[in-house]
Amino acid sequence: QQQVKQSPQSLIVQKGGISIINCAYENTAFDYFPWYQQFPGKGPALLIAIRPDVSEKKEGRFTISFNKSAKQFSLHIMDSQPGDSATYFCAAMGIQGAQKLVFGQGTRLTINP
Amino acid sequence: NAGVTQTPKFRVLKTGQSMTLLCAQDMNHEYMYWYRQDPGMGLRLIHYSVGEGTTAKGEVPDGYNVSRLKKQNFLLGLESAAPSQTSVYFCASRRDLNTDTQYFGPGTRLTVL
């Protein structure tokens, strides 16, 4: 059972455009929502994260929008650059137990120059 | 600091062979995790450890065993490899319960023929 659903699977955006990746979750016990960025041949690295007490978090060109009532969150990349081409994973973690991350399926983002 | 390192980077096994993947971290982190990454499925947790001498099952533990004899090392074993275990394996570490960020290693690409 996929607890975090991510879309789209792949995305092509022109340089300078806005990239948007969406995730939906089911478990209302989740309280930490990170996005990881992965370049080919590398391990994932934390990009940006949010907790449910805020609806938006911005770091440079990267913004997370969070909708608690809809159980959805999204990553927006403004002024997308070819160097942003990578696979992006959303994830969620709860406050109970060992606080394990549950990942979405991943989105392969390509920014065309 | 080297961060999280994984050995080996690549490995090819025949069905039924065994092997051990080594993960090492030099950040004095309490928590360590083993994930597998398959196309279209994101990262799935195999086993994890919340401290030296402890291990616990994740989402897909069947066919794998782990050990955490030293705080800095987390070993993943395959006793009798199967083609379904062909995957990219990632190790991650996290400082403790009071921090959220997981730091990933570069991965091990395993092929089982």
Side-chain angles (χ1 to χ4, degrees):
Chain A
Q1 182 183 3
Q2 190 72 36
Q3 294 192 60
V4 178
K5 296 184 178 180
Q6 183 173 346
S7 63
Q9 282 192 322
S10 62
L11 180 63
I12 300 174
V13 175
Q14 293 299 118
K15 178 182 177 181
I18 302 173
S19 304
I20 302 174
I21 305 171
N22 301 299
C23 282
Y25 63 97
E26 300 169 1
N27 190 342
T28 55
F30 289 149
D31 77 333
Y32 172 69
F33 302 90
W35 285 89
Y36 279 79
Q37 180 187 54
Q38 183 182 30
F39 293 105
K42 305 292 185 183
L46 179 66
L47 181 64
I48 186 173
I50 196 169
R51 289 197 175 274
D53 52 345
V54 296
S55 60
E56 185 175 282
K57 183 174 181 180
K58 183 176 181 180
E59 290 184 2
R61 296 184 293 108
F62 301 90
T63 299
I64 300 179
S65 297
F66 185 81
N67 186 330
K68 188 174 181 178
S69 61
K71 293 188 287 185
Q72 295 175 347
F73 58 109
S74 59
L75 176 69
H76 296 234
I77 306 175
M78 310 300 289
D79 187 25
S80 299
Q81 299 297 312
D84 297 330
S85 296
T87 299
Y88 292 81
F89 293 96
C90 63
M93 185 166 72
I95 58 174
Q96 298 182 354
Q99 298 186 333
K100 297 168 285 186
L101 274 175
V102 179
F103 284 86
Q105 298 94 322
T107 296
R108 177 171 290 185
L109 175 65
T110 302
I111 307 301
N112 284 336
Chain B
N1 290 347
V4 180
T5 58
Q6 293 184 231
T7 308
K9 288 184 169 53
F10 304 93
R11 185 73 186 269
V12 178
L13 289 179
K14 294 181 179 179
T15 297
Q17 287 185 319
S18 63
M19 78 162 294
T20 300
L21 280 66
L22 170 64
C23 176
Q25 52 93 7
D26 61 0
M27 298 177 282
N28 200 34
H29 286 180
E30 292 293 334
Y31 287 29
M32 296 186 75
Y33 305 83
W34 275 108
Y35 295 91
R36 61 176 290 173
Q37 183 178 20
D38 302 291
M41 302 190 74
L43 288 92
R44 292 180 293 168
L45 183 64
I46 304 172
H47 286 282
Y48 63 97
S49 168
V50 299
E52 181 178 311
T54 75
T55 63
K57 294 180 180 180
E59 180 186 359
V60 289
D62 294 343
Y64 305 95
N65 57 76
V66 288
S67 64
R68 183 103 182 265
L69 299 179
K70 294 183 178 181
K71 186 177 184 178
Q72 63 267 34
N73 296 335
F74 196 28
L75 305 178
L76 178 69
L78 285 74
E79 292 183 346
S80 180
S84 60
Q85 294 178 305
T86 293
S87 187
V88 182
Y89 292 86
F90 287 99
C91 175
S93 72
R94 173 181 163 203
R95 192 177 74 189
D96 54 35
L97 192 65
N98 298 314
T99 62
D100 298 318
T101 303
Q102 291 190 20
Y103 297 87
F104 284 80
T108 294
R109 183 174 293 274
L110 174 66
T111 301
V112 183
L113 302 176

